Amino acid sequence: MMNAVMIVTGGGSMMILTSHKSVTEPALLEKLAHKGIDKFIAYEISLDLAKERYGGHFFVVARDLRESDDLRVLDYNGNRAFRLFSFAEFGPPIMHEGAREEEDEA
């Protein structure tokens, strides 16, 4: 099973495809953290809707999704991703906040 998810971070947003059942699965959270994403709000998007909006690009990215490579970025351009989907098409928000790093006080 594949899921399409919009992830909103402090640095912007992106659309991902994943074979994980939930964006909060520890293995997926670890992969996101390795990419520098440890605090986010995620919204599931209907897979059929993502296929429709991204067309051929969706199928190119999805074809590369394997069990051993269960996270693929469908769209790094958050501006485009936001324009492609209305808020009404987002699933409920899923918030994740990793461990906070203490800021050095000078």
Side-chain angles (χ1 to χ4, degrees):
M1 181 177 163
M2 189 180 337
N3 292 308
V5 181
M6 179 173 293
I7 296 180
V8 181
T9 71
S13 59
M14 68 177 67
M15 282 290 298
I16 65 166
L17 296 178
T18 181
S19 58
H20 289 279
K21 292 179 183 175
S22 169
V23 74
T24 59
E25 283 187 13
L28 181 55
L29 289 174
E30 185 176 325
K31 287 183 183 218
L32 291 170
H34 283 296
K35 294 183 179 296
I37 302 169
D38 60 355
K39 182 177 183 178
F40 60 82
I41 303 171
Y43 301 92
E44 289 189 15
I45 302 289
S46 157
L47 198 58
D48 289 336
L49 193 56
K51 288 177 188 176
E52 175 188 316
R53 303 284 166 80
Y54 283 100
H57 178 68
F58 177 94
F59 295 101
V60 169
V61 173
R63 183 178 26 228
D64 288 338
L65 189 67
R66 297 177 298 280
E67 191 172 320
S68 62
D69 186 20
D70 49 12
L71 169 64
R72 301 299 266 162
V73 176
L74 180 60
D75 196 345
Y76 282 105
N77 185 332
N79 186 35
R80 177 179 43 228
F82 258 70
R83 285 194 326 258
L84 286 175
F85 302 96
S86 71
F87 288 130
E89 295 169 326
F90 288 14
I94 301 165
M95 294 180 226
H96 175 76
E97 186 167 9
R100 290 182 60 167
E101 292 183 19
E102 297 296 321
E103 292 185 34
D104 292 332
E105 292 185 25

